[in-house]
Amino acid sequence: MLARIGLLIVAAAAIACASAPKVSVTTSVTDSEYNAVSLAARVKTALLNDAVVGMRRIDVHITGYDVRLTGRVASTQERDRAVQVASGVEGVRAVKSDLDIRP
């Protein structure tokens, strides 16, 4: 009796799965989008790992191979260091600083 109930449950589950609508999700990421995300991640990682500016909240914006830094730093030395670090990342062509200096 239990075997029949188990068989009925398995059969019902198989029918339910077979009749469920098929959903397909595809994402298409272009090479330039992938490169921009990769470059932003490398710049952000370099900034976070830097002893001088690693504790500052610096956002990284990428356009092509150009980097724009936004956020807040405590001094012109920190701003200059952030630009230096970002410039040192492979693939970066130019760095623009829109960092606010607030001691």
Side-chain angles (χ1 to χ4, degrees):
M1 182 70 177
L2 287 177
R4 280 186 168 168
I5 293 173
L7 185 58
L8 286 174
I9 291 173
V10 169
I15 291 170
C17 289
S19 64
K22 304 293 183 221
V23 177
S24 174
V25 177
T26 59
T27 57
S28 177
V29 178
T30 66
D31 286 343
S32 63
E33 290 170 329
Y34 174 79
N35 290 338
V37 170
S38 174
L39 184 58
R42 291 194 322 265
V43 171
K44 186 71 173 177
T45 299
L47 290 168
L48 288 171
N49 288 330
D50 186 75
V52 176
V53 295
M55 297 302 292
R56 301 295 177 199
R57 181 166 184 252
I58 300 174
D59 296 315
V60 177
H61 308 274
I62 304 292
T63 303
Y65 297 98
D66 297 339
V67 175
R68 183 171 61 95
L69 303 176
T70 61
R72 191 183 322 174
V73 293
S75 65
T76 57
Q77 290 82 8
E78 285 186 1
R79 180 197 60 208
D80 294 344
R81 178 63 183 167
V83 170
Q84 179 185 26
V85 169
S87 297
V89 174
E90 184 178 346
V92 171
R93 181 174 52 190
V95 178
K96 178 182 180 197
S97 172
D98 286 333
L99 294 167
D100 289 332
I101 299 172
R102 295 186 192 168

